[in-house]
Amino acid sequence: MGSHWDKKNAYRLSDNGRMKILHTMLRVGNLQRSIDFYTQVIGMKLLRTSDNPEYKYTLAFVGFGSNPDHAELELTYNWGVESYDMGSAYGHIALGMSDIYAACERITAAGGQVTRAPGPVKGGTTQIAFVTDPDGYKIELIQRLGAE
């Protein structure tokens, strides 16, 4: 691979344009707490779980639908690890929805933490809000008509 990238090379590497994001993985310190947050507070569905006793981890996949039609969120619990250092590189997950104001009210009522109230993004007109999950991961809510 060279250092020169163009649209033709990117298209070829993306399997003729058929590549898509399948899931994002987050390491969590308490699997049930995270499943409860993403299903009861955010409104996702628990899609499937699997244990790996040999390597001492459990996976739970949550989402608004399943692959391949929808991207999923993989929650990984490494047995015995209760917290992780976030570091400074992680940003956030973004979710599009038709009414972030109502979503923030539902999230707060369900015990979730809205860390940035709904309103326009600085220097723009897009309406956004931020929520923090139990492990400290940031979730951006972006108002998009017809998203829900």
Side-chain angles (χ1 to χ4, degrees), residues 25-38:
M25 185 271 275
L26 300 176
R27 289 182 175 89
V28 300
N30 180 308
L31 187 59
Q32 191 58 56
R33 178 186 69 189
S34 293
I35 290 170
D36 291 347
F37 174 80
Y38 284 100

Side-chain angles (χ1 to χ4, degrees), residues 1-14:
M1 284 189 209
S3 61
H4 177 73
W5 289 97
D6 58 31
K7 289 181 185 177
K8 183 178 178 183
N9 285 331
Y11 186 79
R12 187 181 76 239
L13 291 173
S14 71

